Amino acid sequence: MKIVHVYKDYAPVLGGIENHLRWQAEGMRARGHDVRVLVTNTANRRQIETIDGVSVTKCARQFNISSAPLAAEMPWALHRIGQDADIVHLHAPYPPGELAQIFVRAGRRTVITYHSDIVKQATLLKFYAPFLRRILHQAHKILVSNPPYIASSPFLSPIAAAQPEKIEVVHFGIDLERFAPTPAVTARSAELRAQYGPGPLVLFVGRLRYYKGVAVLVRAMAQVTGARCLVVGTGPEEDDIRRLIAELGIGDRVQLAGTLSDADLPAIYRAADLFVLPSIHRSESLGIVLLEAMASGLPLISTELGTGTSYVNRHGETGLVTPPDDSAALAAAIQRLVDDVDLRRNFGATALSHAQTAFSLDAMLDATERVYRDLTAGL
């Protein structure tokens, strides 16, 4: 079947949704489907390229509004690429993409993966909410990564109550083999451990955005003894985080590593002793990095947001869950795992088993493909 994915960015742009979209596109292509991707370019020019076998159309980007890139040609491009598609698969929230599909109605069936609510951009949401409700009504199926997000979302919960069959939970999945302890990964992890050690190593991986709560992690580390912390990633909060580390005088224990290569990412997980995702807002709908850390056998610490983070990280089984934006509680959880090697080992083993059982890439692709086939059966 022909599948067209619509979002704002694609490779080589990195991010949780961008990675998920790429895994979906490449996975479905490997299963024999005709897969196209429609996104915006990072420059004001159209670019059509093939990335690992996937045809990607990047519309000329004019400007951004509240982190949403605008490309005037997107509706016409969607009509051109998607008019004969079996499935147009939107990745929300991306208001320009959803608006394009509302007016173009490309493809025979519309699927939406609802990644998260819009939380911070209140002004944008006032304008966008009626259109979001319309596209959710127009969609034939809405995919969500976890049940808690359905219950806590003001946009999804009414649909779940009125039309429960319209929403389906499809776990996000990752390539678990990528994070296996191969000889190359093990050797590189030893090098990274020597570079960023010694002592128990606390790891964060992700974009340094407002909702990630990295400042809370830094303040927590000022209260933790006997451990070091490595922050992997860049983003708009980086300068503020760097200043906070200097103000607290903990530059010898908290390091910013910037962005690591794809080859080094599995190794840095293996070099760490525990993983922390200290997010403070429900913009964090699940946390792909939690899956990566679990696949690496790491115990987890995350925060209770009413989203999928606590669905992935089971308190007392795969790790610990703390209140959001509470550096003292986070410090206590980190200190507990730093001081208890056996607890880290037990949590890590359970986390690895949980990842293998529920969050594999093949399981995600199987579930998504089943949705596609059910929607197009008999057409």
Side-chain angles (χ1 to χ4, degrees), residues 8-267:
K8 63 180 181 180
D9 288 313
Y10 193 72
V13 176
L14 299 178
I17 298 178
E18 289 83 358
N19 292 340
H20 171 80
L21 170 53
R22 185 171 188 175
W23 297 331
Q24 283 278 15
E26 292 179 2
M28 289 301 170
R29 178 187 174 277
R31 294 178 176 218
H33 300 290
D34 178 3
V35 181
R36 315 291 176 90
V37 173
L38 177 63
V39 292
T40 63
N41 200 356
T42 54
N44 189 12
R45 66 176 184 276
R46 182 191 307 164
Q47 184 175 354
I48 300 174
E49 56 185 315
T50 300
I51 302 176
D52 290 329
V54 177
S55 176
V56 182
T57 298
K58 298 181 178 181
C59 299
R61 179 185 302 197
Q62 280 77 52
F63 53 90
N64 295 333
I65 297 180
S66 297
S67 78
L70 298 184
E73 65 174 330
M74 180 164 277
W76 288 270
L78 178 57
H79 175 72
R80 183 176 67 254
I81 297 170
Q83 61 180 335
D84 62 341
D86 297 291
I87 300 288
V88 169
H89 193 148
L90 308 176
H91 293 265
Y94 176 50
E98 286 102 64
L99 287 170
Q101 178 63 350
I102 285 174
F103 296 112
V104 172
R105 289 183 174 267
R108 297 192 288 176
R109 293 290 185 264
T110 299
V111 174
I112 298 175
T113 293
Y114 194 93
H115 292 268
S116 72
D117 295 325
I118 291 178
V119 178
K120 185 179 182 182
Q121 298 89 349
T123 301
L124 172 64
L125 184 59
K126 289 179 181 179
F127 167 80
Y128 172 55
F131 297 97
L132 176 57
R133 292 189 178 93
R134 182 172 173 182
I135 192 62
L136 291 173
H137 174 76
Q138 183 178 315
H140 297 89
K141 185 69 78 170
I142 302 166
L143 309 183
V144 187
S145 64
N146 62 90
Y149 213 90
I150 298 172
S152 63
S153 168
F155 293 96
L156 297 180
S157 55
I159 298 173
Q163 298 175 277
E165 73 286 350
K166 190 171 187 173
I167 300 182
E168 184 162 338
V169 172
V170 172
H171 288 165
F172 288 171
I174 62 171
D175 180 4
L176 299 175
E177 291 302 315
R178 181 185 175 207
F179 298 93
T182 64
V185 167
T186 300
R188 182 58 178 148
S189 69
E191 294 174 358
L192 291 170
R193 177 75 177 201
Q195 178 180 350
Y196 293 111
L201 185 62
V202 179
L203 179 66
F204 167 89
V205 176
R207 287 279 291 164
L208 304 186
R209 294 173 172 152
Y210 77 96
Y211 66 86
K212 291 293 186 178
V214 179
V216 182
L217 173 59
V218 171
R219 293 189 182 95
M221 286 304 303
Q223 306 169 57
V224 171
T225 59
R228 300 167 67 88
C229 178
L230 184 65
V231 175
V232 175
T234 60
E237 303 293 311
E238 183 173 354
D239 289 343
D240 289 341
I241 296 300
R242 198 177 299 278
R243 280 192 291 270
L244 179 60
I245 293 171
E247 289 171 7
L248 294 173
I250 54 174
D252 59 329
R253 293 191 289 118
V254 180
Q255 295 176 264
L256 301 184
T259 301
L260 295 186
S261 68
D262 281 349
D264 275 349
L265 193 59

